[in-house]
Amino acid sequence: MNFYLIRRRLRRDNPRWVVLLIDVFIVFSCYLLSTYVINSFRGRVDDALMIKQAFLVTAIYALSFFVFKTYRGIIRQADIKDAQGIMSATIGAVVVLMLTSFCLRRSDYLPLYPIFNLSYSVVFIHGVMTIVSMVAARMVYRSIYEQLFQQGKNVAPVVLIGAGNMGTITLNLLKADSKNKYKTVLLADDNPNRIGKRVNGFNVVDFRILNSQMMESMGIDSVIIALDDNNKERLKGISEHIEQLPVKLKIMPNSAKLLSGEVATRQLRTLNIGDLLGREAIKLDNPAVQESLAGKVILITGAAGSIGSELARQIAFVKFGKLILLDQAESALYDLQQEIRQVVSHSVRYVVGNVRDVGFMENIFAHYRPHVVFHAAAYKHVPLMEQNPYESIHTNVYGSKVVADLSAKYSAEKFVMVSTDKAVNPTNVMGATKRIAEIYVSALNKQVKTNYIVTRFGNVLGSNGSVIPLFEKQLKKGGPLTVTHPDITRYFMTIPEACQLVQDAAVMGSGGEIYVFDMGEPVKIMDLAKRMIRLKGYRYPEDVSIMITGLRPGEKTYEELLANDENTVKTHHEKIMIAKVNTFDDDQRKEKIEMLCLLIKDCQKRQEPMTLVSMMKDIVPEFVSKNSIFEELDPQKAV
């Protein structure tokens, strides 16, 4: 019961008068001790005078404590600043006492006030003892607190990687947070200049010495990465070693966010694949974007999707004239509405509608007259679109044609289309529809004043239906993770990166360009699956296995950003290029696209996928189906 009361007492912040009372007691006791130590060499101690002087000294110190406010700190969170405050208050008191004694000794009043006849050596030694005792008292209190609340049965021992500023901040946060579930037992780093040194009581070790035996013997199930910059290449190098161990990887935000108070230990999160792209995140930071979009009426189709919604979030911070967010998904658009309203509550319109509805879309254009159109509405899932070519063409081709034509009719300044690397040498219906849409807007760009621009990029991390969320769901069920082919690779980029590209293209593009990102090296999906298993603290294949399911209809093992007959032109940013595509027969192919769209409008043709796909292959000769029923339409298969 007494132990319970002590724990409850320690959990509460002690009243300031209690702290001050303890400090005063320490000062009084230290003066008696220092007087006995010094006077013992002289062989005489005047106990009565010593007691009076002790009260005088204590009163001066108490006054100094009031001036320097040493009693206001939270004792269980005492740190170097508290020690500095104690030192300042003590020095102030020592100076006052010595000056008072010095002045009275040179006057005629000392016989009247013998209490001020203080020994300089006693005053000095007492000051040193006071500083040491007060700081030690706070450290002991803090240590007892940490032992009781941060080393209990529910606190897990962890290894902290990062002995720089970020590591020190994280270490202190883990100690100070009473709700924290982690206790640092080992500090590691990858910087040779820090390895072997002592930081906050820990000997810094090389993270490469960490092994399974060490983790198991110390009972460690988590490793926290706390780096100053969260450099992608550095993260990847560290994680590749830690992933081999039976531990979970977690990461803290960068020190700038911690210092600004934006995050705390509760933001400690599991390291994710987005942290480990193996390259630095691409930041365009083009001030011309905001200038170009300022005051404009902006329309985003597919606004509730992964790309469209992030575009909306970023543009919400621009001083636009009006923002129209259009999508057919009512619930997703509602969620976006609630989010955007936290940033801007005026000049934003949320429209539920379908880009395939010509009359509806014409009313939107006639009413709002958008200056800039971001066209992100599309079907994107390869296997589903392979089974539903009519719907894929209806939305990705016909829907794009509707929005593109209306952009020209109502004199939009720019039309920016979101495309995909699957449009390059397509092997599936979805990729072919996106390539056909690219061809149509390219041909239209030559005929009208509106500038038509295409942005082409790879897989977007975390987007709806992408491989990362799929793996997450499979891991929650205990596996196995499913991979279609052991050699399949993909390019990856983050959603913010994709949306920066789209906006930058809207500013830079003068019409007819296809912008592509340098996304580094492609990622092998098999390796990605193994990393996700290890990042969650599981072992592959002992805990979670990977199942090879076979390529899906229309799927190819690797994606390309450029077709065989394309090359690139550099832009203002080293990571952005313009693909130079073959456009010599765009006008003829545009006529074929219009015929395809007429066929789509005939509902009776809905059940004739072979006819539709055959027309697509005529428009896009490089469209060669793989693992699909449409392979028989390819010339080499027909022979």
Side-chain angles (χ1 to χ4, degrees):
M1 181 65 180
N2 291 335
F3 182 71
Y4 170 77
L5 291 175
I6 292 174
R7 284 175 60 91
R8 190 171 67 176
R9 172 66 262 172
L10 286 173
R11 274 195 180 277
R12 298 167 55 190
D13 295 335
N14 290 310
R16 295 174 181 176
W17 66 268
V18 173
V19 176
L20 181 61
L21 188 63
I22 294 173
D23 289 345
V24 165
F25 176 76
I26 290 174
V27 171
F28 188 86
S29 301
C30 285
Y31 185 80
L32 296 180
L33 181 60
S34 60
T35 301
Y36 270 111
V37 169
I38 297 299
N39 288 334
S40 63
F41 293 103
R42 302 172 181 171
R44 57 183 177 82
V45 177
D46 187 340
D47 291 338
L49 180 61
M50 179 184 65
I51 296 296
K52 293 178 181 178
Q53 289 178 334
F55 278 110
L56 170 66
V57 170
T58 301
I60 298 298
Y61 269 83
L63 180 62
S64 184
F65 292 156
F66 272 108
V67 172
F68 288 94
K69 300 178 174 60
T70 57
Y71 55 91
R72 289 191 174 183
I74 299 176
I75 304 301
R76 57 184 169 83
Q77 295 180 3
D79 56 14
I80 188 66
K81 288 186 177 181
D82 293 282
Q84 291 172 348
I86 291 171
M87 186 176 296
S88 299
T90 302
I91 292 174
V94 168
V95 169
V96 170
L97 290 169
M98 284 191 170
L99 284 176
T100 303
S101 180
F102 177 81
C103 293
L104 287 175
R105 284 181 181 184
R106 280 157 177 72
S107 69
D108 298 330
Y109 297 101
L110 187 60
L112 300 175
Y113 305 102
I115 191 175
F116 288 101
N117 188 18
L118 299 170
S119 167
Y120 296 149
S121 57
V122 170
V123 172
F124 178 78
I125 295 299
H126 170 254
V128 174
M129 291 180 64
T130 298
I131 292 174
V132 173
S133 299
M134 289 180 64
V135 172
R138 282 159 169 76
M139 293 302 103
V140 169
Y141 185 97
R142 176 172 175 170
S143 177
I144 293 173
Y145 180 87
E146 291 173 357
Q147 290 290 330
L148 290 176
F149 299 112
Q150 295 181 313
Q151 297 185 15
K153 61 182 180 180
N154 295 324
V155 178
V158 298
V159 174
L160 181 62
I161 297 181
N165 293 332
M166 184 63 195
T168 302
I169 293 169
T170 303
L171 190 62
N172 291 330
L173 282 172
L174 293 177
K175 286 182 179 180
D177 191 349
S178 62
K179 296 181 180 179
N180 171 50
K181 298 179 181 179
Y182 304 102
K183 171 197 170 188
T184 305
V185 296
L186 191 65
L187 187 60
D189 207 297
D190 62 339
N191 188 337
N193 296 325
R194 296 187 184 128
I195 295 170
K197 295 183 178 179
R198 194 168 181 83
V199 176
N200 280 8
F202 290 92
N203 289 320
V204 181
V205 301
D206 190 334
F207 81 95
R208 298 173 188 85
I209 72 169
L210 303 178
N211 55 50
S212 299
Q213 184 178 358
M214 183 185 296
M215 298 297 101
E216 291 174 1
S217 64
M218 298 178 72
I220 294 169
D221 72 344
S222 296
V223 172
I224 299 174
I225 297 178
L227 305 178
D228 290 324
D229 54 4
N230 284 347
N231 179 277
K232 300 292 184 182
E233 294 180 4
R234 189 179 177 194
L235 273 175
K236 185 179 180 182
I238 293 173
S239 67
E240 284 177 348
H241 177 80
I242 303 301
E243 285 170 17
Q244 311 302 319
L245 309 180
V247 295
K248 296 178 182 178
L249 262 176
K250 298 183 181 295
I251 188 170
M252 285 295 286
N254 62 48
S255 55
K257 289 185 177 180
L258 281 169
L259 289 170
S260 66
E262 293 180 29
V263 292
T265 55
R266 60 181 175 273
Q267 268 71 40
L268 182 68
R269 60 173 174 80
T270 302
L271 196 71
N272 58 52
I273 295 296
D275 297 312
L276 305 173
L277 279 176
R279 60 171 174 81
E280 280 302 292
I282 301 171
K283 296 182 180 179
L284 302 180
D285 194 23
N286 188 349
V289 170
Q290 293 201 11
E291 295 175 10
S292 177
L293 298 179
K296 301 291 179 63
V297 178
I298 302 167
L299 168 65
I300 302 177
T301 68
S306 302
I307 298 297
S309 60
E310 179 62 22
L311 263 176
R313 294 185 193 100
Q314 293 185 13
I315 293 175
F317 290 95
V318 176
K319 296 180 180 179
F320 55 82
K322 191 167 291 184
L323 179 61
I324 301 98
L325 305 179
L326 185 147
D327 203 290
Q328 65 173 340
E330 174 205 12
S331 297
L333 189 61
Y334 172 80
D335 293 338
L336 179 64
Q337 179 189 52
Q338 302 310 304
E339 184 178 352
I340 296 296
R341 279 181 173 175
Q342 303 300 315
V343 179
V344 57
S345 57
H346 62 280
S347 301
V348 183
R349 301 294 180 267
Y350 304 88
V351 181
V352 178
N354 197 319
V355 294
R356 305 187 309 196
D357 189 332
V358 180
F360 170 80
M361 291 303 299
E362 176 130 26
N363 287 335
I364 296 296
F365 272 83
H367 181 72
Y368 292 108
R369 302 274 177 165
H371 299 104
V372 181
V373 177
F374 292 103
H375 181 51
Y379 285 137
K380 65 176 184 177
H381 295 291
V382 170
L384 281 176
M385 294 304 100
E386 202 69 14
Q387 298 172 14
N388 300 275
Y390 174 88
E391 289 297 325
S392 184
I393 298 169
H394 201 178
T395 295
N396 293 1
V397 178
Y398 181 71
S400 297
K401 179 181 180 299
V402 169
V403 181
D405 288 343
L406 290 171
S407 296
K409 182 177 179 179
Y410 289 91
S411 302
E413 296 172 9
K414 293 190 177 182
F415 173 98
V416 184
M417 174 183 158
V418 176
S419 189
T420 170
D421 57 1
K422 293 176 176 60
V424 182
N425 295 325
T427 59
N428 52 70
V429 169
M430 193 283 289
T433 58
K434 297 297 286 186
R435 178 59 190 140
I436 291 172
E438 288 183 1
I439 294 169
Y440 185 83
V441 300
S442 176
L444 200 60
N445 184 73
K446 302 174 184 178
Q447 302 171 358
V448 298
K449 292 182 178 180
T450 300
N451 294 322
Y452 290 86
I453 303 151
V454 173
T455 57
R456 186 191 285 173
F457 39 76
N459 292 264
V460 179
L461 283 174
S463 63
N464 298 328
S466 66
V467 67
I468 304 298
L470 173 63
F471 284 167
E472 292 276 4
K473 292 178 182 177
Q474 292 174 338
L475 279 171
K476 286 181 180 179
K477 295 180 180 179
L481 271 60
T482 56
V483 176
T484 59
H485 191 281
D487 296 325
I488 195 167
T489 61
R490 291 292 182 266
Y491 288 99
F492 283 100
M493 67 189 309
T494 65
I495 293 176
E497 283 179 329
C499 294
Q500 287 180 56
L501 169 63
V502 173
Q503 292 177 76
D504 208 65
V507 175
M508 291 198 316
S510 57
E513 303 96 342
I514 294 180
Y515 286 93
V516 295
F517 246 149
D518 176 4
M519 294 185 290
E521 295 298 317
V523 177
K524 198 171 183 178
I525 303 300
M526 189 72 176
D527 293 341
L528 187 147
K530 292 177 182 178
R531 300 198 76 179
M532 285 202 67
I533 291 172
R534 292 168 182 151
L535 285 174
K536 296 297 182 181
Y538 300 112
R539 295 172 298 170
Y540 168 79
E542 293 86 349
D543 298 331
V544 179
S545 62
I546 298 175
M547 180 188 299
I548 304 299
T549 59
L551 289 172
R552 298 171 297 179
E555 187 175 36
K556 54 183 176 180
T557 55
Y558 64 94
E559 302 289 4
E560 307 151 274
L561 289 175
L562 298 171
N564 296 331
D565 59 348
E566 294 176 356
N567 53 29
T568 60
V569 176
K570 293 182 179 179
T571 68
H572 74 290
H573 196 287
E574 61 180 3
K575 295 295 184 179
I576 303 177
M577 301 164 289
I578 298 175
K580 292 188 70 67
V581 299
N582 187 351
T583 61
F584 74 94
D585 60 347
D586 277 357
D587 293 340
Q588 296 177 1
R589 292 202 279 183
K590 179 174 178 287
E591 293 178 2
K592 294 179 180 180
I593 294 170
E594 290 170 342
M595 290 177 61
L596 177 63
C597 291
L598 287 174
L599 191 62
I600 283 293
K601 292 174 67 176
D602 186 347
C603 295
Q604 292 182 352
K605 302 297 182 182
R606 183 188 292 256
Q607 305 303 324
E608 296 181 12
M610 286 296 180
T611 302
L612 296 174
V613 175
S614 178
M615 293 185 67
M616 292 173 65
K617 290 179 179 290
D618 182 43
I619 298 169
V620 185
E622 66 270 25
F623 173 22
V624 179
S625 298
K626 284 190 177 181
N627 193 31
S628 169
I629 60 172
F630 303 119
E631 288 184 54
E632 64 182 73
L633 298 174
D634 297 323
Q636 63 271 32
K637 297 292 183 179
V639 175

